[in-house]
Amino acid sequence: MKSIRNRKILFIVPANEFYDIQYKKNYIIPKSVPYGVLSIASYLQEYSKNCIDVKILDLSSNYMESKEIKESIKQCLKEFKPDLVGVSVLTSLLYPYIKKYFDIVKEFDKDIFTFIGGIVATNLYKQLLDEFENIDAACYAEGEIPILELSEAENINELVDNHVSWITRNSIKAGKIPQLTFVEDLDQLPFIDFSLIDLSKYGARGWQVNADLKKGEDRVLPIHTTRGCPFNCVFCCAAKTHGKKIRQMSAKRVIEHVKNMIDNYGMDILSIDDDQFLATKERSKEILRELAPFKLRLEAESGLSVRFIDDDMARLLKEAGLKSANLAIESGSKYVLKEIIDKPLTLDEIRSAVKNLRKYDFTVKAYLVLGLPGETDEHRRETVDFVNEVGFDMSSIFTATPFHGSRLYDICVKNGYINKEDAITSMPSAFHSVISTPEYSAEHISEQAFYINLNLNFVNNYNMRIGKLNDAKAFFYNVATKYPEHAFAHYYLARACEKLGESGELIESHDRKFNEIIDSDKEWKKYSLLFKLI
């Protein structure tokens, strides 16, 4: 290996090979900026005492076949000649594909030190090191400090065997329990060096790409202003990676990051990807007041903490450039929120937040999770009734997924609700549950989720009910454009156009498409009969 002063580190972001036909049919596959890897790479460049050369190979930004992936890695290795290669794995859906990345690297040069990081490394390090011989070490939790210390180590093998946040086969045998190594003061994080990736390849953060984005013209960049979460939601594993204590970047430092992204990278849209951006209300309000003069558009696809949205917060969010407020309400059942999810949120707090947001003309979306063990069909009906009562422009519905590191995973494995191996590659999806309890099968939950999606977003669409027909039409058009085989999108787009008094030809074309779909697809015909559309 080269001298410490001339080391080269390559970070690989794997391709999203796990997306199957069903997922592609129901979702826009996101191409999100790899913020975590960029943060680590920027941290190394800022604080390394040595001359460390860093490169990022992001294979997730393009749709690639296995052969293309191999050739891209081999070409990068040949040109860059790295001494260390790290693979960032943020979802266990990639588990079946991880091995080949390390095999390709070691086949090129067995002396390259390889490591894995990300959520999967934190929660599955024993299994990874046991199954994949070409992984030399796993980084536990946040990577900035451990990887900086790795890059500067005189003896890399000695460091990873003894460092509290590195795991190796030797340290596992010695009984090591890995510990978190955090950047305690987030103001010490350097500006993100977005020049390490090709920003032209990335778009909006979420799968539901906003209809009013100018295709190819808007520059969406993410920021994380907090780390850590004190809450204990059953399905979440965020605290495993970032800890229970919330660490916050100061308002002043957040604005400095924003100015840098505007001046150096032409940012138009700021995506706030925090789990708990609003947790300290005065800090959040100060940031929003400082953001307003930039005239940016804000996105918060990770969802906003409902309980912190008072009238003043709603106004400041609007003035800062947020148009769509995504609320992580999870359920409309008091019992499910309190007794199953353990979420510190009440139905009255949700009602109050939505009322405050409506005052400032937000598009308000609900994030819902269905199929948690202990939830009944009656609880799901309560959720539907509550959402219809409160009124949301859209409801994003997901079936519960037992992520490693979450209490839900432990519950499911302990009670045999999911095969332990299948849990590794379970897809977070609106239409594909993987949890079967004695009361409800995974198939039943999947059907319920799809039915509720059609009910809330189409049959009882909020904007259609209150007469905001142009907003309803925009939603139906967006869905019909992205998913041309979505029967209900065409049917209700025709109905919205009809109510707006638009041309008969347009209405007829979507009605015709609706009829073509239900004539050729038994599932769509079943739901059309169920909701009495035919």
Side-chain angles (χ1 to χ4, degrees):
M1 190 173 287
K2 294 175 188 172
S3 161
I4 297 172
R5 298 193 175 278
N6 298 300
R7 277 185 185 154
K8 293 183 175 183
I9 302 179
L10 171 65
F11 293 99
I12 298 176
V13 181
N16 293 323
E17 297 177 80
F18 52 82
Y19 288 119
D20 59 19
I21 298 300
Q22 180 66 17
Y23 198 87
K24 289 176 182 177
K25 180 179 177 182
N26 293 303
Y27 285 87
I28 295 294
I29 298 175
K31 298 180 181 180
S32 300
V33 169
Y35 192 89
V37 169
L38 282 167
S39 180
I40 294 168
S42 303
Y43 194 85
L44 296 182
Q45 291 179 153
E46 178 75 13
Y47 290 110
S48 177
K49 301 180 204 131
N50 305 311
C51 181
I52 303 294
D53 195 1
V54 181
K55 184 176 180 63
I56 296 174
L57 177 62
D58 185 1
L59 300 173
S60 73
S61 62
N62 291 311
Y63 303 135
M64 305 178 75
E65 301 293 334
S66 186
K67 185 177 179 181
E68 292 179 276
I69 292 168
K70 184 173 183 179
E71 289 306 313
S72 296
I73 296 172
K74 288 172 66 176
Q75 185 65 27
C76 185
L77 293 170
K78 182 178 178 181
E79 293 175 358
F80 187 59
K81 297 182 175 60
D83 304 291
L84 302 96
V85 173
V87 180
S88 173
V89 186
L90 299 182
T91 171
S92 57
L93 296 165
L94 284 165
Y95 197 92
Y97 310 97
I98 293 172
K99 182 179 185 295
K100 70 178 172 189
Y101 288 86
F102 294 96
D103 290 349
I104 293 167
V105 173
K106 289 294 189 179
E107 182 182 309
F108 177 80
D109 184 349
K110 63 180 177 58
D111 291 329
I112 294 175
F113 186 87
T114 59
F115 61 95
I116 187 168
I119 295 170
V120 173
T122 299
N123 292 304
L124 289 171
Y125 59 85
K126 288 182 180 178
Q127 188 167 336
L128 287 164
L129 291 169
D130 183 55
E131 292 187 15
F132 305 142
E133 63 181 0
N134 284 324
I135 300 177
D136 292 321
C139 183
Y140 188 79
E142 292 181 12
E144 282 90 353
I145 292 174
I147 295 174
L148 175 64
E149 293 176 352
L150 174 78
S151 71
E152 296 185 332
E154 291 281 354
N155 186 322
I156 284 180
N157 290 315
E158 183 178 323
L159 177 117
V160 293
D161 280 340
N162 294 287
H163 193 286
V164 295
S165 296
W166 282 103
I167 309 108
T168 64
R169 294 171 186 84
N170 289 337
S171 64
I172 290 173
K173 287 178 183 176
K176 179 198 281 187
I177 298 175
Q179 298 174 38
L180 308 160
T181 303
F182 290 151
V183 178
E184 293 292 346
D185 181 2
L186 298 192
D187 280 9
Q188 297 303 310
L189 292 172
F191 296 146
I192 300 296
D193 183 359
F194 290 104
S195 71
L196 290 166
I197 58 174
D198 181 357
L199 285 173
S200 67
K201 295 180 178 180
Y202 303 90
R205 158 78 163 73
W207 69 267
Q208 181 66 30
V209 181
N210 296 297
D212 55 344
L213 288 180
K214 302 185 291 293
K215 189 174 181 181
E217 298 178 20
D218 294 290
R219 175 60 52 82
V220 185
L221 294 183
I223 190 170
H224 292 243
T225 77
T226 64
R227 295 183 182 183
C229 181
F231 304 124
N232 195 37
C233 296
V234 69
F235 46 70
C236 186
C237 56
K240 193 82 175 283
T241 302
H242 298 296
K244 288 278 189 183
K245 177 185 174 183
I246 298 181
R247 288 163 287 143
Q248 299 178 325
M249 195 180 287
S250 69
K252 178 183 177 182
R253 185 60 174 164
V254 171
I255 299 305
E256 288 173 352
H257 276 266
V258 170
K259 286 179 179 176
N260 176 68
M261 290 189 279
I262 294 170
D263 294 343
N264 293 314
Y265 304 103
M267 178 180 67
D268 304 293
I269 301 171
L270 177 65
S271 179
I272 299 174
D273 287 352
D274 297 33
D275 289 322
Q276 297 297 334
F277 175 68
L278 302 181
T280 302
K281 290 174 75 170
E282 288 312 310
R283 167 191 170 271
S284 303
K285 290 179 179 181
E286 183 181 352
I287 292 170
L288 295 170
R289 281 191 288 266
E290 293 290 330
L291 284 175
F294 291 108
K295 304 297 182 184
L296 294 167
R297 171 169 173 163
L298 295 191
E299 290 188 346
E301 287 292 330
S302 294
L304 297 170
S305 297
V306 179
R307 65 190 312 184
F308 302 114
I309 303 176
D310 56 22
D311 181 274
D312 192 37
M313 185 71 81
R315 176 182 60 81
L316 289 170
L317 284 165
K318 187 71 173 184
E319 292 173 356
L322 191 72
K323 295 182 179 180
S324 178
N326 304 319
L327 305 184
I329 70 171
E330 323 302 3
S331 176
S333 165
K334 178 180 178 181
Y335 177 85
V336 172
L337 284 172
K338 184 178 180 181
E339 303 298 334
I340 297 178
I341 299 177
D342 193 16
K343 190 177 183 72
L345 180 64
T346 69
L347 299 183
D348 281 342
E349 286 174 326
I350 298 170
R351 291 185 181 98
S352 176
V354 173
K355 180 181 178 181
N356 291 329
L357 292 164
R358 291 290 182 204
K359 180 178 177 181
Y360 297 98
D361 197 30
F362 279 91
T363 296
V364 186
K365 301 178 184 177
Y367 288 163
L368 302 172
V369 177
L370 303 178
L372 290 161
E375 182 189 58
T376 66
D377 283 344
E378 179 57 33
H379 294 139
R380 288 182 274 276
R381 281 190 287 273
E382 289 175 7
T383 292
V384 171
D385 291 343
F386 179 77
V387 171
N388 280 326
E389 171 212 326
V390 175
F392 291 89
D393 296 85
M394 175 187 169
S395 296
S396 290
I397 298 164
F398 294 90
T399 55
T401 302
F403 293 113
H404 284 267
S406 69
R407 289 192 295 119
L408 178 59
Y409 173 79
D410 295 336
I411 291 168
C412 288
V413 171
K414 178 182 177 181
N415 293 284
Y417 297 157
I418 185 169
N419 180 284
K420 191 173 181 180
E421 292 306 312
D422 289 344
I424 292 176
T425 55
S426 55
M427 170 68 78
S429 168
F431 314 118
H432 181 57
S433 175
V434 295
I435 299 172
S436 287
T437 67
E439 293 77 26
Y440 300 103
S441 68
E443 291 74 20
H444 176 80
I445 297 302
S446 298
E447 288 182 5
Q448 284 274 295
F450 192 65
Y451 175 89
I452 290 171
N453 170 57
L454 296 178
N455 185 346
L456 294 177
N457 289 318
F458 297 91
V459 180
N460 287 299
N461 180 276
Y462 170 73
N463 286 314
M464 285 285 277
R465 284 192 285 123
I466 68 169
K468 293 179 70 175
L469 299 176
N470 282 313
D471 288 351
K473 177 189 170 184
F475 171 73
F476 299 140
Y477 175 80
N478 207 18
V479 178
T481 301
K482 292 178 175 65
Y483 313 110
E485 299 306 309
H486 196 296
F488 277 42
H490 290 285
Y491 179 87
Y492 283 99
L493 178 55
R495 302 291 74 75
C497 291
E498 203 169 52
K499 288 178 180 291
L500 285 164
E502 299 191 359
S503 74
E505 185 179 341
L506 182 63
I507 296 166
E508 288 172 11
S509 69
H510 287 290
D511 276 335
R512 185 164 55 250
K513 182 63 177 177
F514 166 73
N515 285 312
E516 289 172 1
I517 295 169
I518 64 172
D519 286 344
S520 61
D521 190 310
K522 291 180 180 178
E523 282 296 298
W524 279 118
K525 187 163 190 175
K526 178 182 79 173
Y527 285 107
S528 298
L529 287 166
L530 197 59
F531 284 108
K532 300 179 181 179
L533 304 188
I534 53 176

